[in-house]
Amino acid sequence: MRKFRDEQKGLVFILLILLIMAGAAVIFSVSLHTDVVQETLDRDQKIQMLIGVEDSDGSLLFSSVLIYYPSSQKAALINIPGYTGSIYASLNRTAQIKKVYEEKGIESYREEVKKLIGIQIPFYTIITMEDFAKLTDYFGGLRVFISEPIDYVSDDGSMYILPSGAVNLDGDKVLTYLHYKLSDEDETDLQDRYQNAMTAFITALSDKKFILFDGHNFRNYSSCFRSNIKAEEEEKLFKIISGVDSESIIRQTITGSFRNVDGQSLLFPLNNGENVRNNVRQVANMLVSSEGAYNSRVYILEIQNGTTTQGLARNTSILFQNASYDVLSAINADRNDYEETVIIDRLGNAEAAKAIGDFIHCDNIIKADSENAETTAHSSDVDFTIILGRDFNGQYVIKRRK
């Protein structure tokens, strides 16, 4: 009998030790968990987050990378066109980048986007089209600009009707806005709409923050987000983002040239993507700096392509727009054999002209009244005309040996 009692005591002692060890493991596990959002804030770092919208068939309709610096309240949205092409390691073949998401999932897609734009992306969230429409209604609509009224019936009989002007779209209208495609539109037009919708989404998040984050309101729509962080961190992250200065969001997209591969038209970034990565780094640095692009005076540029390279003026206009310059037009020059890039100062502001020149490494600056300034501006509103020559590589001027 005494032996039996000793055995019971031993068993209880062992159980007690196991309970203590289990409790210690739980405490240790909790102590190891770090709030990555708070860590980012403590280090005064930029928030870098991938936001994707998934279509009803499970494909990725569009995605953007948000770069936000809370200290300056400045943000940039980097649009990732789904048809961006490359040899993707996760697929082991050349394909559209959206195929990575569809075949390998969000983690592999995030890795490929990181390689594409050259920055870390610690956070991501995926929103289905149904939830995107639901969130739109929670926000009281998304405000976008539509240049012409839409009254269109697709081949499958779907009807798309939207008014023109600066309009506030409810959830159903946002679905229409994102899905119609007119016969005279190309993929670039669709990407513009996607980026407009994402910009309007971030703007609405900012405008409605006093309602969305009041008390426990966030719980009403937190299920609309599929993120890689815990619920409480997710709420903190979106609350931080809602502090953005929505009037100064920089918009950038991937630029390059189209090539047909296996019957598909793919966008291949210029310079093997080095231009894209440099531009993203430059924009990210601008968010931290209180100088540079955020001047009280916004200069109006006209960019002319003086070479035979297709799309050079348009791609360069995006570079300057990302740096908060106002590009009035991107057109062909009077001829296509310019050897050197030239900046024509029509404002008479040598300091501003030099800043523009520094942006693209160009010191060939002349005044509009100079005998060498052969080209006239297409509008009296233009402050500076930039004529791109053969020495321009798509990002900056390359000094040639003579």
Side-chain angles (χ1 to χ4, degrees), residues 18-88:
L18 290 175
L19 285 173
I20 292 172
M21 290 177 63
V26 170
I27 294 171
F28 182 68
S29 175
V30 170
S31 66
L32 280 181
H33 176 72
T34 57
D35 185 335
V36 289
V37 176
Q38 189 60 49
E39 249 185 21
T40 301
L41 289 178
D42 293 341
R43 294 177 182 176
D44 197 29
Q45 292 180 329
K46 295 180 289 292
I47 299 290
Q48 295 174 174
M49 181 181 191
L50 174 65
I51 306 174
V53 175
E54 189 179 82
D55 213 343
S56 55
D57 61 357
S59 64
L60 191 66
L61 185 62
F62 65 94
S63 68
S64 295
V65 174
L66 174 71
I67 307 175
Y68 175 56
Y69 188 56
S71 296
S72 68
Q73 296 184 299
K74 305 297 183 183
L77 274 171
I78 316 298
N79 180 51
I80 312 296
Y83 49 76
T84 302
S86 182
I87 302 175
Y88 295 112

Side-chain angles (χ1 to χ4, degrees), residues 221-239:
Y221 55 89
S222 60
S223 61
C224 295
F225 302 103
R226 194 167 77 240
S227 305
N228 63 329
I229 51 178
K230 292 186 174 182
E232 59 272 18
E233 293 176 338
E234 182 182 70
E235 180 173 358
K236 181 184 293 185
L237 181 62
F238 280 105
K239 191 172 184 178

Side-chain angles (χ1 to χ4, degrees), residues 4 12 65 70 103 109 195 203 226-227 242 296 298 321 330 388:
F4 179 72
V12 170
V65 174
E103 297 181 26
Y109 181 75
Q195 197 164 29
T203 299
R226 194 167 77 240
S227 305
S242 72
S296 57
V298 177
Q321 286 168 339
L388 305 173

Side-chain angles (χ1 to χ4, degrees), residues 87-258:
I87 302 175
Y88 295 112
S90 54
L91 298 178
N92 198 27
R93 72 176 192 272
T94 301
Q96 300 176 334
I97 194 169
K98 68 177 184 179
K99 290 295 182 183
V100 176
Y101 178 83
E102 293 165 13
E103 297 181 26
K104 297 295 183 179
I106 180 59
E107 291 291 354
S108 294
Y109 181 75
R110 178 175 60 153
E111 287 301 314
E112 297 293 1
V113 172
K114 282 166 57 177
K115 295 175 191 174
L116 175 65
I117 66 176
I119 63 171
Q120 293 299 313
I121 310 174
F123 310 113
Y124 70 74
T125 191
I126 297 295
I127 311 168
T128 66
M129 272 306 313
E130 181 183 356
D131 285 334
F132 195 77
K134 189 187 298 183
L135 286 166
T136 296
D137 289 331
Y138 280 141
F139 293 164
L142 298 185
R143 193 165 184 81
V144 298
F145 179 79
I146 302 175
S147 58
E148 297 180 0
I150 304 300
D151 189 350
Y152 169 72
V153 179
S154 66
D155 293 339
D156 64 3
S158 300
M159 183 175 292
Y160 301 97
I161 299 175
L162 291 171
S164 61
V167 295
N168 198 59
L169 303 180
D170 63 18
D172 289 339
K173 291 296 185 183
V174 161
L175 296 184
T176 298
Y177 179 75
L178 292 172
H179 282 103
Y180 79 85
K181 183 180 180 182
L182 304 180
S183 57
D184 59 347
E185 287 187 310
D186 58 22
E187 288 295 333
T188 303
D189 297 313
L190 291 178
Q191 294 301 319
D192 284 343
R193 285 213 301 275
Y194 297 156
Q195 197 164 29
N196 290 342
M198 187 59 73
T199 304
F201 179 83
I202 299 298
T203 299
L205 186 71
S206 174
D207 291 344
K208 304 295 182 180
K209 60 178 175 285
F210 297 111
I211 298 174
L212 301 176
F213 300 102
D214 181 40
H216 300 297
N217 285 352
F218 186 81
R219 296 177 183 176
N220 295 329
Y221 55 89
S222 60
S223 61
C224 295
F225 302 103
R226 194 167 77 240
S227 305
N228 63 329
I229 51 178
K230 292 186 174 182
E232 59 272 18
E233 293 176 338
E234 182 182 70
E235 180 173 358
K236 181 184 293 185
L237 181 62
F238 280 105
K239 191 172 184 178
I240 293 166
I241 293 171
S242 72
V244 66
D245 176 6
S246 58
E247 296 296 322
S248 62
I249 296 175
I250 300 174
R251 293 158 49 118
Q252 189 175 50
T253 191
I254 307 301
T255 58
S257 57
F258 283 92

Side-chain angles (χ1 to χ4, degrees), residues 325-384:
Y325 287 98
D326 189 353
V327 179
L328 189 65
S329 59
I331 58 176
N332 289 326
D334 56 331
R335 63 180 202 271
N336 62 9
D337 60 351
Y338 278 84
E339 289 294 327
E340 295 184 348
T341 299
V342 59
I343 298 172
I344 301 174
D345 179 3
R346 305 185 184 282
L347 191 64
N349 187 329
E351 185 179 352
K354 183 180 183 303
I356 292 170
D358 290 344
F359 186 68
I360 57 172
H361 301 184
C362 176
D363 55 14
N364 186 18
I365 302 171
I366 61 177
K367 293 183 179 180
D369 56 3
S370 167
E371 293 181 2
N372 297 324
E374 303 170 358
T375 306
T376 58
H378 286 244
S379 170
S380 59
D381 294 329
V382 171
D383 296 323
F384 301 92

